[in-house]
PDB file of all heavy atoms in Angstrom:
ATOM      1  N   PHE A  28      82.220 115.302 113.374  1.00  0.00           N
ATOM      2  CA  PHE A  28      83.420 115.168 114.207  1.00  0.00           C
ATOM      3  C   PHE A  28      83.070 115.396 115.681  1.00  0.00           C
ATOM      4  O   PHE A  28      83.454 114.630 116.563  1.00  0.00           O
ATOM      5  CB  PHE A  28      84.489 116.168 113.747  1.00  0.00           C
ATOM      6  CG  PHE A  28      85.783 116.058 114.512  1.00  0.00           C
ATOM      7  CD1 PHE A  28      86.770 115.184 114.095  1.00  0.00           C
ATOM      8  CD2 PHE A  28      86.014 116.813 115.647  1.00  0.00           C
ATOM      9  CE1 PHE A  28      87.961 115.056 114.798  1.00  0.00           C
ATOM     10  CE2 PHE A  28      87.193 116.706 116.365  1.00  0.00           C
ATOM     11  CZ  PHE A  28      88.173 115.815 115.934  1.00  0.00           C
ATOM     12  N   LYS A  45      89.676 111.628 129.591  1.00  0.00           N
ATOM     13  CA  LYS A  45      88.282 112.119 129.622  1.00  0.00           C
ATOM     14  C   LYS A  45      88.274 113.623 129.882  1.00  0.00           C
ATOM     15  O   LYS A  45      87.508 114.373 129.271  1.00  0.00           O
ATOM     16  CB  LYS A  45      87.508 111.375 130.718  1.00  0.00           C
ATOM     17  CG  LYS A  45      85.996 111.456 130.558  1.00  0.00           C
ATOM     18  CD  LYS A  45      85.306 110.521 131.534  1.00  0.00           C
ATOM     19  CE  LYS A  45      83.797 110.623 131.431  1.00  0.00           C
ATOM     20  NZ  LYS A  45      83.184 109.697 130.509  1.00  0.00           N
ATOM     21  N   ASN A 238      93.146 102.072 118.261  1.00  0.00           N
ATOM     22  CA  ASN A 238      92.576 102.435 119.568  1.00  0.00           C
ATOM     23  C   ASN A 238      93.063 101.498 120.666  1.00  0.00           C
ATOM     24  O   ASN A 238      93.200 101.908 121.823  1.00  0.00           O
ATOM     25  CB  ASN A 238      91.052 102.485 119.490  1.00  0.00           C
ATOM     26  CG  ASN A 238      90.576 103.770 118.825  1.00  0.00           C
ATOM     27  OD1 ASN A 238      91.257 104.793 118.906  1.00  0.00           O
ATOM     28  ND2 ASN A 238      89.447 103.728 118.153  1.00  0.00           N
TER      29      ASN A 238
END
Side-chain angles (χ1 to χ4, degrees):
F28 183 88
K45 199 171 178 91
N238 282 331

